Amino acid sequence: MDTPEEEDVFRDIEIYSNQTFLELHSAIQEAFNFDQSQLASFHLSDNDWERGEEITLIDMGGGEKQLMEDTALSDHIRSKNQKLLYIFDFMLMWTFFIEVVAIYPRKTDRVLPEIVLSVGDHPDQYAKKPENLFGAMQYPEDPETE
């Protein structure tokens, strides 16, 4: 049986560069039919998908962080093939690999963000089990899913 992580599932989302990371966050939530009750962060990434600078949903202290609502995409996204990681729900650790496919001039008559391509069925947000954080949590296997 395939798990959600084994299936090809992706969404192409068009969004203006002057829109915020918060607007992209909301578009991803809508595209995958997730509720927005959990925390999330974007991370700038290199070609090996290593986490870089963080852009957070809320300020949780611990130093200067950029907030999604205050940060335009154009502040960080400047080229085709640029990569970002989007981490949603820090207990379930949904990780989305985002790659800029194209950058076009703004078309003022379109309302964005917009999902322009959808491949695969979105996974159930709560189908995953929480990550085993530092070995502190142990979850028994569900015999009905084996």
Side-chain angles (χ1 to χ4, degrees):
M1 178 162 145
D2 287 337
T3 64
E5 295 85 10
E6 293 172 350
E7 300 172 11
D8 285 336
V9 177
F10 66 88
R11 304 293 184 262
D12 282 359
I13 299 172
E14 287 188 7
I15 188 166
Y16 293 122
S17 64
N18 67 334
Q19 288 182 278
T20 66
F21 278 89
L22 181 62
E23 290 169 289
L24 179 57
H25 159 76
S26 294
I28 293 169
Q29 295 294 297
E30 180 182 328
F32 286 90
N33 201 31
F34 284 0
D35 72 58
Q36 295 190 32
S37 65
Q38 302 297 322
L39 295 177
S41 287
F42 287 94
H43 291 268
L44 304 181
S45 179
D46 61 16
N47 285 331
D48 294 323
W49 298 105
E50 295 293 325
R51 286 187 197 183
E53 187 175 348
E54 183 178 24
I55 303 158
T56 64
L57 182 60
I58 64 170
D59 184 358
M60 295 186 291
E64 290 188 31
K65 299 281 185 183
Q66 295 182 69
L67 296 178
M68 289 183 198
E69 68 182 329
D70 299 330
T71 308
L73 296 170
S74 61
D75 291 347
H76 295 287
I77 297 175
R78 296 183 180 91
S79 64
K80 181 179 172 185
N81 300 321
Q82 189 167 345
K83 293 175 174 54
L84 301 166
L85 291 169
Y86 171 71
I87 313 294
F88 171 71
D89 189 338
F90 297 157
M91 290 297 291
L92 298 179
M93 293 300 288
W94 284 103
T95 302
F96 294 78
F97 298 85
I98 300 171
E99 186 168 356
V100 177
V101 175
I103 299 175
Y104 299 110
R106 182 178 174 103
K107 297 177 182 177
T108 58
D109 59 335
R110 292 191 55 211
V111 176
L112 297 180
E114 178 183 1
I115 301 162
V116 295
L117 179 64
S118 180
V119 173
D121 294 329
H122 65 79
D124 177 355
Q125 178 176 344
Y126 298 104
K128 288 180 74 172
K129 291 181 181 175
E131 294 289 321
N132 183 351
L133 302 174
F134 311 108
M137 295 182 252
Q138 299 295 323
Y139 296 92
E141 292 297 319
D142 183 355
E144 293 186 25
T145 61
E146 293 182 354

